[in-house]
Amino acid sequence: MKFRERFMNGETEFDEIFDLTDEWNFSDEECTLREYLGLTEEEEDVWISESDEALEELMRRERSSGRMDK
């Protein structure tokens, strides 16, 4: 189960994203970070163009609304 799915299910805190990003950076994974974390394109865009905080806010809104898009 990817980070996004665990976060949306309330099984992990947002801060885990930083550990997983480090893990991905030092791995031989051939997928993108977005794929590794299971983020949507919209979430990735917010993270890149705005901030960590903006991504967390977006994902918390999605979780509270029940939106589980992939």
Side-chain angles (χ1 to χ4, degrees):
M1 189 180 309
K2 306 250 184 219
F3 163 77
R4 183 182 193 282
E5 188 175 355
R6 288 193 318 274
F7 180 81
M8 291 301 173
N9 289 333
E11 298 171 15
T12 191
E13 294 297 321
F14 183 81
D15 287 348
E16 183 188 7
I17 200 168
F18 304 114
D19 293 334
L20 292 171
T21 299
D22 287 342
E23 186 178 292
W24 177 82
N25 280 324
F26 294 103
S27 75
D28 293 330
E29 290 287 336
E30 294 185 15
C31 62
T32 66
L33 179 57
R34 181 180 67 80
E35 293 167 334
Y36 187 76
L37 298 172
L39 300 179
T40 65
E41 289 181 21
E42 176 187 11
E43 292 162 348
E44 178 186 43
D45 289 345
V46 165
W47 196 14
I48 292 169
S49 64
E50 296 183 35
S51 66
D52 298 334
E53 293 80 12
L55 173 61
E56 182 176 8
E57 182 180 327
L58 173 63
M59 292 183 73
R60 287 191 185 282
R61 282 195 318 265
E62 291 170 350
R63 182 170 66 183
S64 66
S65 74
R67 180 178 160 200
M68 294 293 290
D69 300 358
K70 289 194 175 184

